[in-house]
Amino acid sequence: MNPHNAKDDPFRSLRHNMVSSQIRSRGISDPRLLQVMQCIPRHLFLPHRLQKIAYDDHALPLDKGQTISQPYIVALMTEALCLKGDEKVLEIGTGSGYQTAILASLADSVFTIECISSLSQIAEKSLQALGYSNIHFAIGDGTLGLPDKAPYNCIIATGSLPQLPETLLAQLDENGILVAPVGGRSLQKLLSVKRIGTKVERHDLGGCQFVPLIGKNGWSR
Ligand code: SAH
């Protein structure tokens, strides 16, 4: 049994409330995703002083001016990837590692790239402590993707992009899905893009607000 879902875990009921009142109630229905969000200890991805509000319905600050996304947004983006269990996933913007944990629980392997090495190291420690062994960490400009390990079945950008970079679309496998917030520096649209041969099928998942991805195909500092 996951020790973080034991009956005496003080965060267990907060996590259950989060899933029922923020996630399921807003239309997320993938049973594997709901189960995983019920179990993963989001509070362990946050600094100690913020742990008691880890399951609240909003984003929270991380070191270096970054943020851990709102639980519902994490769920919405993950559901859009349609993970079945055998996928190779690229995550751009490791941040706290919370989204990484969800991806690694639902897919075969995750490559996660972060441009701030101290954040990557903290996330790696948290994820190792929880026993994940299918995550590969990279430090660098994720707006270029991670071409050495391409193609990916799924790519998820957890920071905003001014447009969809061709470089990332080119690293998607046939029928691969990319989910990313695209638009202005402070307000974006959450897009899900499926690659079908040389064409792409685009879905708009709604408005959102993400921190910017800083890099060659992202924003300048
Ligand atoms: N998924 C994260 C959210 C992190 S916020 C979580 O659940 O905690 C976005 C992250 O993208 C930040 O950590 C930021 O440092 C990182 N980032 C910004 N530009 C980047 C780039 N070009 N390549 C990789 N990571 C980047």
Side-chain angles (χ1 to χ4, degrees), residues 49-79:
R49 70 193 156 82
L50 295 176
Q51 291 193 350
K52 55 180 185 308
I53 53 168
Y55 299 95
D56 287 5
D57 193 13
H58 46 75
L60 286 166
L62 299 171
D63 279 357
K64 314 272 177 194
Q66 303 307 321
T67 55
I68 178 172
S69 304
Q70 180 189 10
Y72 168 66
I73 293 291
V74 172
L76 182 65
M77 293 177 88
T78 309
E79 191 170 59

PDB file of all heavy atoms in Angstrom, residues 49-79:
ATOM      1  N   ARG A  49       6.562  25.235   4.777  1.00  0.00           N
ATOM      2  CA  ARG A  49       5.598  26.262   5.219  1.00  0.00           C
ATOM      3  C   ARG A  49       4.321  26.280   4.377  1.00  0.00           C
ATOM      4  O   ARG A  49       3.300  26.812   4.803  1.00  0.00           O
ATOM      5  CB  ARG A  49       6.277  27.645   5.252  1.00  0.00           C
ATOM      6  CG  ARG A  49       6.583  28.177   3.893  1.00  0.00           C
ATOM      7  CD  ARG A  49       7.512  29.380   3.842  1.00  0.00           C
ATOM      8  NE  ARG A  49       8.149  29.413   2.547  1.00  0.00           N
ATOM      9  CZ  ARG A  49       7.611  29.902   1.454  1.00  0.00           C
ATOM     10  NH1 ARG A  49       6.441  30.485   1.503  1.00  0.00           N
ATOM     11  NH2 ARG A  49       8.251  29.849   0.301  1.00  0.00           N
ATOM     12  N   LEU A  50       4.359  25.693   3.184  1.00  0.00           N
ATOM     13  CA  LEU A  50       3.168  25.702   2.308  1.00  0.00           C
ATOM     14  C   LEU A  50       2.420  24.374   2.310  1.00  0.00           C
ATOM     15  O   LEU A  50       1.374  24.238   1.666  1.00  0.00           O
ATOM     16  CB  LEU A  50       3.580  26.041   0.871  1.00  0.00           C
ATOM     17  CG  LEU A  50       4.158  27.434   0.642  1.00  0.00           C
ATOM     18  CD1 LEU A  50       4.609  27.590  -0.803  1.00  0.00           C
ATOM     19  CD2 LEU A  50       3.115  28.503   0.987  1.00  0.00           C
ATOM     20  N   GLN A  51       2.957  23.389   3.062  1.00  0.00           N
ATOM     21  CA  GLN A  51       2.373  22.039   2.946  1.00  0.00           C
ATOM     22  C   GLN A  51       0.914  21.982   3.369  1.00  0.00           C
ATOM     23  O   GLN A  51       0.125  21.234   2.805  1.00  0.00           O
ATOM     24  CB  GLN A  51       3.221  21.037   3.729  1.00  0.00           C
ATOM     25  CG  GLN A  51       4.576  20.835   3.054  1.00  0.00           C
ATOM     26  CD  GLN A  51       5.343  19.643   3.580  1.00  0.00           C
ATOM     27  OE1 GLN A  51       4.970  19.051   4.573  1.00  0.00           O
ATOM     28  NE2 GLN A  51       6.435  19.323   2.909  1.00  0.00           N
ATOM     29  N   LYS A  52       0.532  22.802   4.354  1.00  0.00           N
ATOM     30  CA  LYS A  52      -0.856  22.700   4.824  1.00  0.00           C
ATOM     31  C   LYS A  52      -1.867  23.250   3.808  1.00  0.00           C
ATOM     32  O   LYS A  52      -3.046  22.946   3.902  1.00  0.00           O
ATOM     33  CB  LYS A  52      -1.031  23.331   6.206  1.00  0.00           C
ATOM     34  CG  LYS A  52      -0.596  24.760   6.348  1.00  0.00           C
ATOM     35  CD  LYS A  52      -0.841  25.200   7.792  1.00  0.00           C
ATOM     36  CE  LYS A  52      -0.546  26.668   8.019  1.00  0.00           C
ATOM     37  NZ  LYS A  52       0.779  27.102   7.564  1.00  0.00           N
ATOM     38  N   ILE A  53      -1.396  24.030   2.841  1.00  0.00           N
ATOM     39  CA  ILE A  53      -2.331  24.508   1.801  1.00  0.00           C
ATOM     40  C   ILE A  53      -2.064  23.839   0.435  1.00  0.00           C
ATOM     41  O   ILE A  53      -2.544  24.288  -0.598  1.00  0.00           O
ATOM     42  CB  ILE A  53      -2.319  26.053   1.673  1.00  0.00           C
ATOM     43  CG1 ILE A  53      -0.900  26.595   1.473  1.00  0.00           C
ATOM     44  CG2 ILE A  53      -2.960  26.703   2.893  1.00  0.00           C
ATOM     45  CD1 ILE A  53      -0.883  28.054   1.055  1.00  0.00           C
ATOM     46  N   ALA A  54      -1.316  22.729   0.487  1.00  0.00           N
ATOM     47  CA  ALA A  54      -0.918  22.049  -0.760  1.00  0.00           C
ATOM     48  C   ALA A  54      -2.102  21.585  -1.592  1.00  0.00           C
ATOM     49  O   ALA A  54      -1.997  21.462  -2.806  1.00  0.00           O
ATOM     50  CB  ALA A  54      -0.037  20.846  -0.428  1.00  0.00           C
ATOM     51  N   TYR A  55      -3.243  21.289  -0.945  1.00  0.00           N
ATOM     52  CA  TYR A  55      -4.386  20.719  -1.665  1.00  0.00           C
ATOM     53  C   TYR A  55      -5.460  21.764  -1.967  1.00  0.00           C
ATOM     54  O   TYR A  55      -6.565  21.424  -2.370  1.00  0.00           O
ATOM     55  CB  TYR A  55      -4.946  19.519  -0.876  1.00  0.00           C
ATOM     56  CG  TYR A  55      -3.884  18.442  -0.751  1.00  0.00           C
ATOM     57  CD1 TYR A  55      -3.070  18.372   0.381  1.00  0.00           C
ATOM     58  CD2 TYR A  55      -3.648  17.563  -1.794  1.00  0.00           C
ATOM     59  CE1 TYR A  55      -2.053  17.424   0.467  1.00  0.00           C
ATOM     60  CE2 TYR A  55      -2.639  16.608  -1.722  1.00  0.00           C
ATOM     61  CZ  TYR A  55      -1.842  16.551  -0.582  1.00  0.00           C
ATOM     62  OH  TYR A  55      -0.836  15.617  -0.521  1.00  0.00           O
ATOM     63  N   ASP A  56      -5.118  23.039  -1.751  1.00  0.00           N
ATOM     64  CA  ASP A  56      -6.063  24.116  -2.061  1.00  0.00           C
ATOM     65  C   ASP A  56      -6.205  24.276  -3.588  1.00  0.00           C
ATOM     66  O   ASP A  56      -5.359  23.823  -4.355  1.00  0.00           O
ATOM     67  CB  ASP A  56      -5.596  25.439  -1.434  1.00  0.00           C
ATOM     68  CG  ASP A  56      -5.784  25.435   0.082  1.00  0.00           C
ATOM     69  OD1 ASP A  56      -6.170  24.386   0.628  1.00  0.00           O
ATOM     70  OD2 ASP A  56      -5.524  26.474   0.715  1.00  0.00           O
ATOM     71  N   ASP A  57      -7.285  25.001  -3.955  1.00  0.00           N
ATOM     72  CA  ASP A  57      -7.688  25.089  -5.360  1.00  0.00           C
ATOM     73  C   ASP A  57      -6.971  26.198  -6.131  1.00  0.00           C
ATOM     74  O   ASP A  57      -7.610  27.014  -6.768  1.00  0.00           O
ATOM     75  CB  ASP A  57      -9.219  25.328  -5.359  1.00  0.00           C
ATOM     76  CG  ASP A  57      -9.845  25.124  -6.719  1.00  0.00           C
ATOM     77  OD1 ASP A  57      -9.167  24.571  -7.602  1.00  0.00           O
ATOM     78  OD2 ASP A  57     -11.020  25.518  -6.883  1.00  0.00           O
ATOM     79  N   HIS A  58      -5.652  26.262  -6.025  1.00  0.00           N
ATOM     80  CA  HIS A  58      -4.910  27.276  -6.780  1.00  0.00           C
ATOM     81  C   HIS A  58      -3.443  26.876  -6.927  1.00  0.00           C
ATOM     82  O   HIS A  58      -2.981  25.940  -6.263  1.00  0.00           O
ATOM     83  CB  HIS A  58      -5.036  28.661  -6.126  1.00  0.00           C
ATOM     84  CG  HIS A  58      -4.823  28.653  -4.646  1.00  0.00           C
ATOM     85  ND1 HIS A  58      -3.577  28.536  -4.085  1.00  0.00           N
ATOM     86  CD2 HIS A  58      -5.696  28.723  -3.619  1.00  0.00           C
ATOM     87  CE1 HIS A  58      -3.706  28.551  -2.761  1.00  0.00           C
ATOM     88  NE2 HIS A  58      -4.976  28.652  -2.451  1.00  0.00           N
ATOM     89  N   ALA A  59      -2.733  27.622  -7.782  1.00  0.00           N
ATOM     90  CA  ALA A  59      -1.289  27.414  -7.938  1.00  0.00           C
ATOM     91  C   ALA A  59      -0.591  27.927  -6.675  1.00  0.00           C
ATOM     92  O   ALA A  59      -1.159  28.736  -5.929  1.00  0.00           O
ATOM     93  CB  ALA A  59      -0.808  28.174  -9.162  1.00  0.00           C
ATOM     94  N   LEU A  60       0.634  27.471  -6.427  1.00  0.00           N
ATOM     95  CA  LEU A  60       1.394  27.933  -5.255  1.00  0.00           C
ATOM     96  C   LEU A  60       2.822  28.261  -5.681  1.00  0.00           C
ATOM     97  O   LEU A  60       3.343  27.682  -6.642  1.00  0.00           O
ATOM     98  CB  LEU A  60       1.415  26.832  -4.188  1.00  0.00           C
ATOM     99  CG  LEU A  60       0.101  26.617  -3.430  1.00  0.00           C
ATOM    100  CD1 LEU A  60       0.138  25.303  -2.665  1.00  0.00           C
ATOM    101  CD2 LEU A  60      -0.158  27.790  -2.486  1.00  0.00           C
ATOM    102  N   PRO A  61       3.469  29.175  -4.941  1.00  0.00           N
ATOM    103  CA  PRO A  61       4.826  29.563  -5.349  1.00  0.00           C
ATOM    104  C   PRO A  61       5.884  28.514  -5.014  1.00  0.00           C
ATOM    105  O   PRO A  61       5.814  27.851  -3.979  1.00  0.00           O
ATOM    106  CB  PRO A  61       5.071  30.841  -4.523  1.00  0.00           C
ATOM    107  CG  PRO A  61       4.167  30.714  -3.338  1.00  0.00           C
ATOM    108  CD  PRO A  61       2.967  29.938  -3.787  1.00  0.00           C
ATOM    109  N   LEU A  62       6.871  28.381  -5.922  1.00  0.00           N
ATOM    110  CA  LEU A  62       8.066  27.573  -5.667  1.00  0.00           C
ATOM    111  C   LEU A  62       9.230  28.540  -5.548  1.00  0.00           C
ATOM    112  O   LEU A  62       9.058  29.747  -5.718  1.00  0.00           O
ATOM    113  CB  LEU A  62       8.334  26.635  -6.844  1.00  0.00           C
ATOM    114  CG  LEU A  62       7.265  25.595  -7.195  1.00  0.00           C
ATOM    115  CD1 LEU A  62       7.624  24.914  -8.523  1.00  0.00           C
ATOM    116  CD2 LEU A  62       7.153  24.566  -6.077  1.00  0.00           C
ATOM    117  N   ASP A  63      10.433  28.042  -5.338  1.00  0.00           N
ATOM    118  CA  ASP A  63      11.635  28.890  -5.354  1.00  0.00           C
ATOM    119  C   ASP A  63      11.807  29.539  -6.717  1.00  0.00           C
ATOM    120  O   ASP A  63      11.246  29.068  -7.713  1.00  0.00           O
ATOM    121  CB  ASP A  63      12.878  28.021  -5.122  1.00  0.00           C
ATOM    122  CG  ASP A  63      13.074  27.733  -3.649  1.00  0.00           C
ATOM    123  OD1 ASP A  63      12.280  28.246  -2.837  1.00  0.00           O
ATOM    124  OD2 ASP A  63      14.015  26.989  -3.338  1.00  0.00           O
ATOM    125  N   LYS A  64      12.617  30.573  -6.765  1.00  0.00           N
ATOM    126  CA  LYS A  64      13.048  31.205  -8.024  1.00  0.00           C
ATOM    127  C   LYS A  64      11.897  31.759  -8.855  1.00  0.00           C
ATOM    128  O   LYS A  64      11.935  31.746 -10.098  1.00  0.00           O
ATOM    129  CB  LYS A  64      13.837  30.206  -8.905  1.00  0.00           C
ATOM    130  CG  LYS A  64      14.887  29.403  -8.169  1.00  0.00           C
ATOM    131  CD  LYS A  64      16.192  30.124  -8.143  1.00  0.00           C
ATOM    132  CE  LYS A  64      17.219  29.362  -7.351  1.00  0.00           C
ATOM    133  NZ  LYS A  64      18.386  30.145  -7.013  1.00  0.00           N
ATOM    134  N   GLY A  65      10.817  32.192  -8.184  1.00  0.00           N
ATOM    135  CA  GLY A  65       9.709  32.839  -8.890  1.00  0.00           C
ATOM    136  C   GLY A  65       8.860  31.893  -9.721  1.00  0.00           C
ATOM    137  O   GLY A  65       8.069  32.342 -10.559  1.00  0.00           O
ATOM    138  N   GLN A  66       8.983  30.570  -9.516  1.00  0.00           N
ATOM    139  CA  GLN A  66       8.207  29.608 -10.314  1.00  0.00           C
ATOM    140  C   GLN A  66       6.974  29.166  -9.531  1.00  0.00           C
ATOM    141  O   GLN A  66       6.826  29.519  -8.362  1.00  0.00           O
ATOM    142  CB  GLN A  66       9.095  28.416 -10.698  1.00  0.00           C
ATOM    143  CG  GLN A  66      10.337  28.820 -11.446  1.00  0.00           C
ATOM    144  CD  GLN A  66      10.031  29.684 -12.671  1.00  0.00           C
ATOM    145  OE1 GLN A  66       9.062  29.448 -13.390  1.00  0.00           O
ATOM    146  NE2 GLN A  66      10.845  30.706 -12.887  1.00  0.00           N
ATOM    147  N   THR A  67       6.101  28.409 -10.173  1.00  0.00           N
ATOM    148  CA  THR A  67       4.878  27.980  -9.480  1.00  0.00           C
ATOM    149  C   THR A  67       4.588  26.504  -9.734  1.00  0.00           C
ATOM    150  O   THR A  67       4.942  25.961 -10.780  1.00  0.00           O
ATOM    151  CB  THR A  67       3.629  28.778  -9.957  1.00  0.00           C
ATOM    152  OG1 THR A  67       3.534  28.641 -11.373  1.00  0.00           O
ATOM    153  CG2 THR A  67       3.703  30.236  -9.596  1.00  0.00           C
ATOM    154  N   ILE A  68       3.929  25.876  -8.755  1.00  0.00           N
ATOM    155  CA  ILE A  68       3.360  24.536  -8.950  1.00  0.00           C
ATOM    156  C   ILE A  68       1.932  24.794  -9.401  1.00  0.00           C
ATOM    157  O   ILE A  68       1.196  25.579  -8.794  1.00  0.00           O
ATOM    158  CB  ILE A  68       3.447  23.682  -7.665  1.00  0.00           C
ATOM    159  CG1 ILE A  68       2.818  22.290  -7.846  1.00  0.00           C
ATOM    160  CG2 ILE A  68       2.846  24.374  -6.458  1.00  0.00           C
ATOM    161  CD1 ILE A  68       3.053  21.335  -6.646  1.00  0.00           C
ATOM    162  N   SER A  69       1.526  24.176 -10.507  1.00  0.00           N
ATOM    163  CA  SER A  69       0.222  24.484 -11.097  1.00  0.00           C
ATOM    164  C   SER A  69      -0.929  24.045 -10.192  1.00  0.00           C
ATOM    165  O   SER A  69      -0.787  23.131  -9.376  1.00  0.00           O
ATOM    166  CB  SER A  69       0.079  23.783 -12.448  1.00  0.00           C
ATOM    167  OG  SER A  69       1.134  24.131 -13.299  1.00  0.00           O
ATOM    168  N   GLN A  70      -2.076  24.698 -10.396  1.00  0.00           N
ATOM    169  CA  GLN A  70      -3.330  24.345  -9.700  1.00  0.00           C
ATOM    170  C   GLN A  70      -3.658  22.863  -9.983  1.00  0.00           C
ATOM    171  O   GLN A  70      -3.507  22.404 -11.123  1.00  0.00           O
ATOM    172  CB  GLN A  70      -4.420  25.243 -10.284  1.00  0.00           C
ATOM    173  CG  GLN A  70      -5.791  25.064  -9.721  1.00  0.00           C
ATOM    174  CD  GLN A  70      -6.823  25.847 -10.544  1.00  0.00           C
ATOM    175  OE1 GLN A  70      -6.525  26.357 -11.628  1.00  0.00           O
ATOM    176  NE2 GLN A  70      -8.020  25.928 -10.032  1.00  0.00           N
ATOM    177  N   PRO A  71      -4.119  22.108  -8.974  1.00  0.00           N
ATOM    178  CA  PRO A  71      -4.400  20.678  -9.189  1.00  0.00           C
ATOM    179  C   PRO A  71      -5.306  20.410 -10.393  1.00  0.00           C
ATOM    180  O   PRO A  71      -5.046  19.498 -11.187  1.00  0.00           O
ATOM    181  CB  PRO A  71      -5.075  20.246  -7.884  1.00  0.00           C
ATOM    182  CG  PRO A  71      -4.549  21.204  -6.860  1.00  0.00           C
ATOM    183  CD  PRO A  71      -4.327  22.502  -7.570  1.00  0.00           C
ATOM    184  N   TYR A  72      -6.357  21.225 -10.577  1.00  0.00           N
ATOM    185  CA  TYR A  72      -7.278  20.986 -11.687  1.00  0.00           C
ATOM    186  C   TYR A  72      -6.574  21.132 -13.039  1.00  0.00           C
ATOM    187  O   TYR A  72      -6.818  20.362 -13.979  1.00  0.00           O
ATOM    188  CB  TYR A  72      -8.483  21.941 -11.617  1.00  0.00           C
ATOM    189  CG  TYR A  72      -9.302  21.919 -12.877  1.00  0.00           C
ATOM    190  CD1 TYR A  72      -9.995  20.757 -13.245  1.00  0.00           C
ATOM    191  CD2 TYR A  72      -9.362  23.021 -13.723  1.00  0.00           C
ATOM    192  CE1 TYR A  72     -10.723  20.705 -14.426  1.00  0.00           C
ATOM    193  CE2 TYR A  72     -10.094  22.974 -14.905  1.00  0.00           C
ATOM    194  CZ  TYR A  72     -10.765  21.824 -15.249  1.00  0.00           C
ATOM    195  OH  TYR A  72     -11.474  21.761 -16.419  1.00  0.00           O
ATOM    196  N   ILE A  73      -5.698  22.113 -13.146  1.00  0.00           N
ATOM    197  CA  ILE A  73      -4.979  22.328 -14.414  1.00  0.00           C
ATOM    198  C   ILE A  73      -4.046  21.147 -14.698  1.00  0.00           C
ATOM    199  O   ILE A  73      -3.924  20.676 -15.833  1.00  0.00           O
ATOM    200  CB  ILE A  73      -4.208  23.675 -14.386  1.00  0.00           C
ATOM    201  CG1 ILE A  73      -5.202  24.843 -14.347  1.00  0.00           C
ATOM    202  CG2 ILE A  73      -3.249  23.817 -15.563  1.00  0.00           C
ATOM    203  CD1 ILE A  73      -6.015  25.031 -15.638  1.00  0.00           C
ATOM    204  N   VAL A  74      -3.397  20.636 -13.644  1.00  0.00           N
ATOM    205  CA  VAL A  74      -2.541  19.445 -13.792  1.00  0.00           C
ATOM    206  C   VAL A  74      -3.399  18.284 -14.329  1.00  0.00           C
ATOM    207  O   VAL A  74      -3.011  17.579 -15.264  1.00  0.00           O
ATOM    208  CB  VAL A  74      -1.898  19.057 -12.430  1.00  0.00           C
ATOM    209  CG1 VAL A  74      -1.171  17.722 -12.524  1.00  0.00           C
ATOM    210  CG2 VAL A  74      -0.947  20.164 -11.958  1.00  0.00           C
ATOM    211  N   ALA A  75      -4.602  18.130 -13.762  1.00  0.00           N
ATOM    212  CA  ALA A  75      -5.492  17.036 -14.178  1.00  0.00           C
ATOM    213  C   ALA A  75      -5.965  17.227 -15.620  1.00  0.00           C
ATOM    214  O   ALA A  75      -5.952  16.290 -16.423  1.00  0.00           O
ATOM    215  CB  ALA A  75      -6.692  16.968 -13.241  1.00  0.00           C
ATOM    216  N   LEU A  76      -6.358  18.460 -15.955  1.00  0.00           N
ATOM    217  CA  LEU A  76      -6.859  18.752 -17.310  1.00  0.00           C
ATOM    218  C   LEU A  76      -5.790  18.458 -18.364  1.00  0.00           C
ATOM    219  O   LEU A  76      -6.057  17.841 -19.401  1.00  0.00           O
ATOM    220  CB  LEU A  76      -7.275  20.231 -17.359  1.00  0.00           C
ATOM    221  CG  LEU A  76      -7.877  20.758 -18.646  1.00  0.00           C
ATOM    222  CD1 LEU A  76      -9.223  20.088 -18.929  1.00  0.00           C
ATOM    223  CD2 LEU A  76      -8.063  22.278 -18.588  1.00  0.00           C
ATOM    224  N   MET A  77      -4.562  18.907 -18.099  1.00  0.00           N
ATOM    225  CA  MET A  77      -3.472  18.694 -19.063  1.00  0.00           C
ATOM    226  C   MET A  77      -3.148  17.206 -19.180  1.00  0.00           C
ATOM    227  O   MET A  77      -2.913  16.689 -20.265  1.00  0.00           O
ATOM    228  CB  MET A  77      -2.228  19.468 -18.644  1.00  0.00           C
ATOM    229  CG  MET A  77      -2.409  20.969 -18.728  1.00  0.00           C
ATOM    230  SD  MET A  77      -0.950  21.847 -18.150  1.00  0.00           S
ATOM    231  CE  MET A  77       0.022  21.954 -19.652  1.00  0.00           C
ATOM    232  N   THR A  78      -3.144  16.529 -18.034  1.00  0.00           N
ATOM    233  CA  THR A  78      -2.784  15.105 -18.056  1.00  0.00           C
ATOM    234  C   THR A  78      -3.855  14.308 -18.787  1.00  0.00           C
ATOM    235  O   THR A  78      -3.537  13.450 -19.619  1.00  0.00           O
ATOM    236  CB  THR A  78      -2.602  14.570 -16.624  1.00  0.00           C
ATOM    237  OG1 THR A  78      -1.716  15.435 -15.919  1.00  0.00           O
ATOM    238  CG2 THR A  78      -2.037  13.159 -16.632  1.00  0.00           C
ATOM    239  N   GLU A  79      -5.132  14.608 -18.521  1.00  0.00           N
ATOM    240  CA  GLU A  79      -6.201  13.853 -19.189  1.00  0.00           C
ATOM    241  C   GLU A  79      -6.121  14.031 -20.707  1.00  0.00           C
ATOM    242  O   GLU A  79      -6.359  13.091 -21.459  1.00  0.00           O
ATOM    243  CB  GLU A  79      -7.580  14.263 -18.667  1.00  0.00           C
ATOM    244  CG  GLU A  79      -8.652  13.295 -19.153  1.00  0.00           C
ATOM    245  CD  GLU A  79     -10.000  13.491 -18.473  1.00  0.00           C
ATOM    246  OE1 GLU A  79     -10.576  14.592 -18.565  1.00  0.00           O
ATOM    247  OE2 GLU A  79     -10.464  12.541 -17.844  1.00  0.00           O
TER     248      GLU A  79
END
